[in-house]
Amino acid sequence: MTNVNKAVPGAKEYYPLNEPSIGAALPTVGVLDVGIAVIPPLFHPLKIRGVTFNNRIFVSPMCQYSSDNGHATDWHFVHIGGYATRGYGGIVMEATAVVPEGRISPQDAGIWTESQIEPLKRIVDFAHAQGAKIGIQLSHAGRKASTLAPWVYANCTRTRLARTWIAKEDEDGWPDEVYGPSEVAFRHEDYPQPKAMSEQDMLYVQDAFVTAIGRCREAGFDFIELHGAHGYLLHSWLSPLSNVRGDGYGGQSLEDRLRFPLRLIRACRDAWADKPLFVRISATDWAEGPERGEDGVWKQWGLEQSKVLVRELMAMGVDLVDVSSGGNWAAQQIPVKLGYQVPFAEEMKRACPNLLVGAVGMIETPKQADKIVRYGQADVVFMARELIRNPHWPIYAAQELGVAVKPANQYERGWMAMLSPPKKSYSAL
């Protein structure tokens, strides 16, 4: 019997087997240039510590504010499962708190208890059955914890619905159990007042990250990203705007401000030694004025310090740095435009040419994404909002770039033009 609709081996349920896996380039059908198949760099595979990603298009972590006391629900199964069937190189699940008080909002994801493993494993198993590589972003919100979901604070027309961002006790929040490096609120009038972390608090959080990594292993994740950006806990330790300690863990000394984040990340690297480890950073605080004053005093977190951090991360074996920006200074003024954060990724790549770097920030078109990889600005692109608008983006991008990739068996009929493209020369310009 040869004409069989093959099943995915070992899957809990029947799923048709995709050969090759969804999102892999099909060079025999790709763009022809002088008779030689050409694959755009965006669709080159990438291998990290034994994990092969089919292409360079990664789904950024996107908070859904839809968890049940930290537990993933069917919303997450459908949300992530949809991306798993559409050909992304890698999928990063949303910021997932390692302790309950580390959530951004009461409805955020968590991985602080054993009962949270199984709902995540269900999602991971489905993703793997589709040939997808899936990771999770481990996080602690720090001084930006116990806040409302965005649509609770303001509606879709940006009309303010709540007086404050703070989620109070009667709103399932924990405003009196919010911690940071210093007693410096993100915005005094409508964010929680944090408590300065003690050495005992630091050890508690570090141990929680390491324990969470054990749960990630049980759930079957292929890689982990540590959230060190957007003003959450690790970023707030790095920046002199939010870390004003004087005890060897903060203040003006860059070495002191790096000490706890690097210690925590090193412990995570040791606990996840055999699989890819990513770290997301904010390259700048976007505060007014220079990163460093003429007197040599650090004014804010910026590119110069980020390069020091990235070199340290590479030295300890971090595999990829996902370069974002902002989120730590409430008065930030960001000139948002297409690709506005890509230059930060390029700067980190120049500082550490041998380190893999990811770019983010209004990456929308296939040619734009391909050029970022082609010209070495970054090794992968992380996308979010454009993928909400167009979940089939990798297949659409392949069609636009004139190369064929494998759609899911069930979706092939929607992409027949791509699977039989005319002969033409590929151009990234």
Side-chain angles (χ1 to χ4, degrees), residues 330-352:
Q332 65 185 21
Q333 297 293 320
I334 302 178
V336 177
K337 59 182 180 180
L338 283 177
Y340 71 100
Q341 296 183 106
V342 174
F344 300 140
E346 188 173 15
E347 286 284 339
M348 297 306 112
K349 189 68 181 174
R350 286 176 181 167
C352 298

Side-chain angles (χ1 to χ4, degrees), residues 26-40 401-404 421-427:
L26 304 172
T28 57
V29 191
V31 176
L32 298 182
D33 185 6
V34 197
I36 301 174
V38 175
I39 305 299
L401 294 174
V403 63
K423 293 182 180 181
K424 59 181 180 178
S425 293
Y426 163 69
S427 172

